[in-house]
Every structure is written in structure tokens, then in C-alpha cells.
Amino acid sequence: MSSQKRLRRWHLRSWMAAVAAVVLAVTLAPTTAVSQQKAAGFDFDNGNALTEVIYPRFQKAVRSVTPGGDDATLVADHILMVEVAWFDAIAPYHSTAVGIYSNLGRQPRSEATTRNRNIAVIYAAYTSLNALFPEFESEFRAMLESVGLDPDEPAEDVSRPADIGIRASKGVLEARENDGSNRDGDAGGRRYNLQPYADYTGYEPVNTSTELRNPSRWQPLILNSNGLRRAQEFVTPYWGRVKPVSYRSPAQFRVVPPVESNHRNRRAYKRQADEVLRVSANLTDHQKMTAEFFNDKIFSLGFIAGSAAFQQGNFDIEQAVHYVTTVDLAIFDVSVATWYFKRKFDAVRPVSAIRYLYGNKKLTAWGGPGKGTVDDITGNEWRSYLKTADHTEYPSGSSSFCLAYAQAARRFLGTDNLVMNVPRAKGSSTIEPGVTPASDMTLRWENLTDMAQDCSQSRLWGGVHFRASTENAEQYAPKVGDSVYEFVQRKINGG
């Protein structure tokens, strides 16, 4: 990796994952190491660095760049760039595994300890996180020091777990250069004032924010925040060109076109818009809180589902890393396929269709935060319960994420059963704070199928997708989950 590339990468901040960093000085004398371990409160020989050291410290950095956890492609890219390095960092301690982006050799069986795996994973995380979130470097260092570890551990011996972790992280960063993501912001040969994740393909919407020229196609909305108005832009419209990990090209998958979004088929066009309005008029607290939960990819798939899997499987650090890699790659690879279709079909969002159909006509629907259901809201005044994202409608990104995640997870776990309980306090809604839910409640799923189904349904409840967009993601997203699971298993088995 060139020094300029490395410097640019150290100034990126648009990503997500569930990682932070800690470092263990493995050259310390045994008695000192035991003393540091006690001070740290983390058992390197029996603990799991992901849950006990890394994840709890990462929330602040993540939320600084995606407060709602809803920036789908940026979330997907971030987890790829950070968490895949963990897999490569522990591969040398497995009897057969090879890295996804590096081959760091095989360590003697005597070295294949939980301690060494934890060290390697922590170093990989620390290296990646410092490259991606340089503004949080002091906090990452403080985190290391708070557990009695040295953040300046030198990389000298390629057989040490610390150095293996560093090399694994660098391998991922280097391998994913020029993969079509434009995460460095230099696409097209740009040298100055770099624009990470900016479009380099010349996408232009058919409609403008003020003129709906084609009611079948996506329209950027005008967003108003405290008097500041801006027009949406299609976020990463080129993402279907990004290099996936487990398959050759998103063109190999199929999904039927969004025929009901064709405004010339007026009956079907109106029927799907009217369904969104009916749902809007009859929203329950459970539906609202479910929609909010799944809108936050970090909390829902990243924390809740991941924690449930860790607990159910009683995962050690190696199993946890293998699981995280499997589900994270499923999210990344399905994001590429989904954005390929989103750009291909460029379909209209519900809010634009409803305004087109009904204009100033009065409707019965949710009236906005705290207003409940009203019968005199006009089509032009209607809004979705969730914020309508800055990209086209078809197919649903959230549905595809949940479906691919669920398929990869159930194959890894060998069961569909996975109990997830999410307490929601009275008035804890971010959209209707103090109002919704009216009383304490718990969102609960007993298996991955139900979780994925509610995740998909929640996009209709939230008013941001038509039913076809959520249901038709089933035509390709589980196949991506299968592709990723089989890819990771081949790597574990040395292929």
C-alpha cells in the first residue's frame, strides 16, 4: 500500500462494525502478564475479546459516523474492512484454515491457544480501527491502557500473535484497494480534496426533487432539518460494481422486476400505495418499535442477533470469529447484489407514489410524530414512519440484509432456533419520544426465520417500502447467505 493511500485511509470515518482495539505485550514475563491480566479484568486464557474487550468500547466511534446505524452500504463496507481481519488473524492457529486475504502460515499446535487467538484478534482490530477512525486514536489507546496493555507494541517477530494480527489487518486493507468502493475518494484519478464514497459513474435521477417526470422512477426528496433544506442524493449508486467476496458478479442472481411500480399499470400501482396507507393508518406500538429496531443495523443484526448466537453456542474466540465473519460477509455480499438491482430498476418510493396519486386529497393515515391516526392528512403532507433513505426503493436493503444474515447464521449454527429478546421501555421511541410505546414492552423472536420475516415486514410498517420490495428479496438474498457460508467453510477447511 502506498504511503499516500495509507495516509488517506487514516482519514476515513464513514464506516461501521462492532470493533475496537486492545493490545497485549506478549514479551512480558509470566508473572507480569498475570499481574496485567488481573488489572485488566479480562482473562486472556479463557475469555472472548470480542464481547469482553472490543465490542463494548466501539459504540461511540460507530455512532459518530452513522448515529442511526442505517447507512447500509457504509455499514457493510466497514464490517468487511475491520472484521474479516479477525478471521485471517486466527487462521494460523487452526489446523486447516487459510486466510481470506492473506496466508500467514501455520503456527505449531502448542501455540494454538485462546490467549494467542485473543491477542491476534485484538491487534488486528486495533490496527484496522486506528486506520479507519484516527480521530478516536486517543480513546483506543486509553482503552488499551485501561486493561494494562501497551498500545505501542512493536511489530518485530512474524510468529508472534501481535504481529500476525497486524499483518492480517494490513492484508485486508491492501487487498480491498481499488475494489470499486471508492472508500479512499480517489476514483477517476482524483488527487486532491478526496471524496470518499462519492459516485464516480455519473448517475443522475430521472426525477428532480421538485419535478416528478416519471412516477415509476425514484425521486430524491427534499429534507428539512431545523430550517436547513437539502435534496437527497442516491448514496453509493455504483455499489453494484463493487467486488463481492463469495461470488463472481451480482448479475448471476435474479429478482423479478417491480412491475407494480409501473404507473401505467395504474390499478396495481394504486393498490400497493393504498396498502402502505392502510398500514400507516393502523400502526401499532409493536410495529413502530420493530421498525425502529431493524432500522438500526448496528444494534439489531450487529449486537442483538450476534450476542444471542454467542450465548446460545457458548462460543469461544475462534467460534465467535468464524460466526462473525460468516454473517458479516453475508451482509456485505448481499449489499452489492441489492445495490446492483436498486440501480437497475431505479424504482419509486412509497412517499412519491402517494403524493403523485393523491396530491391535496385528504387521507386517513398516521399524522406524524405524536399525532396518531388522522383522517384529514393530504397526500402531499403524508410521510413515512421511518425516514425514507437516500436510495431507490427496489429491492429492500434491510430485507436483503436480514434474509442473507439469517440464512448464513442458520447454516453456521445448524439450527433455525435463536431466541432474541429486546426490551423497549415506555416512551423510548426515537421517532415518538415519550409517546411510544405506551407501556414497557419486549420484542421477541424465537428463531431466525421469524426475525427475518419481521425485519422485512418492518419496512412496510415503516412506510419506506412496498410489499413486493420486501418479499422479492427472498429470491436472491438467501442464496447469497448460502454462497458466503460455503465460501467461509472452504477457507476453514483450507480451500
Side-chain angles (χ1 to χ4, degrees), residues 168-310:
S169 173
K170 290 181 177 179
V172 174
L173 294 172
E174 292 171 2
R176 295 302 301 192
E177 280 196 40
N178 303 316
D179 64 355
S181 67
N182 196 25
R183 68 178 63 87
D184 287 320
D186 60 352
R190 191 182 186 100
R191 297 175 58 192
Y192 305 107
N193 299 315
L194 303 180
Q195 301 292 317
Y197 299 107
D199 181 36
Y200 56 87
T201 62
Y203 171 85
E204 291 289 343
V206 171
N207 300 304
T208 70
S209 58
T210 58
E211 184 180 1
L212 190 68
R213 298 164 181 166
N214 185 337
S216 303
R217 303 285 291 277
W218 180 66
Q219 180 185 35
L221 302 176
I222 294 178
L223 305 180
N224 190 331
S225 176
N226 297 321
L228 299 177
R229 292 162 60 86
R230 73 168 180 88
Q232 288 181 320
E233 293 185 5
F234 188 168
V235 63
T236 59
Y238 57 84
W239 203 256
R241 302 185 184 188
V242 174
K243 184 179 180 180
V245 179
S246 71
Y247 59 85
R248 180 180 53 82
S249 166
Q252 72 192 67
F253 300 108
R254 295 289 183 269
V255 62
V256 299
V259 293
E260 293 182 334
S261 292
N262 183 346
H263 73 285
R264 300 186 186 282
N265 184 3
R266 187 172 180 84
R267 179 176 296 179
Y269 188 89
K270 183 176 182 296
R271 181 172 58 242
Q272 70 172 5
D274 287 347
E275 181 182 27
V276 172
L277 289 172
R278 285 195 303 273
V279 170
S280 174
N282 294 282
L283 280 175
T284 66
D285 282 5
H286 183 271
Q287 290 172 333
K288 291 176 180 179
M289 296 309 295
T290 300
E292 291 188 34
F293 171 72
F294 283 114
N295 202 47
D296 185 341
K297 312 300 184 296
I298 297 169
F299 187 62
S300 59
L301 297 181
F303 180 72
I304 298 298
S307 297
F310 286 8

Side-chain angles (χ1 to χ4, degrees), residues 21-38:
V22 186
V23 185
L24 177 65
V26 295
T27 55
L28 296 175
T31 55
T32 304
V34 170
S35 175
Q36 286 191 336
Q37 177 176 301
K38 183 176 180 181

Side-chain angles (χ1 to χ4, degrees), residues 5 21 36 51 82 85 100 112 123 126 142 145 170 173 193 223 294 317 335 341 386 440 474 485 495:
K5 283 274 192 178
Q36 286 191 336
T51 57
V82 176
I100 293 172
Y123 262 102
Y126 183 64
E145 292 164 352
K170 290 181 177 179
L173 294 172
N193 299 315
L223 305 180
F294 283 114
I317 183 63
S335 76
F341 292 125
L386 296 176
D440 293 347
E474 296 178 9
Y485 171 77

Side-chain angles (χ1 to χ4, degrees), residues 22-27 89 93 104 107 111 115-127 150-170:
V22 186
V23 185
L24 177 65
V26 295
T27 55
Y93 301 106
L104 303 178
Q107 291 297 302
E111 295 295 306
R115 170 178 286 269
N116 284 344
R117 291 187 179 99
N118 274 320
I119 295 169
V121 166
I122 287 167
Y123 262 102
Y126 183 64
T127 304
D150 179 11
D152 297 314
E153 179 72 15
E156 299 173 347
D157 184 346
V158 295
S159 68
R160 296 190 315 165
D163 299 285
I164 289 172
I166 292 170
R167 292 165 65 204
S169 173
K170 290 181 177 179

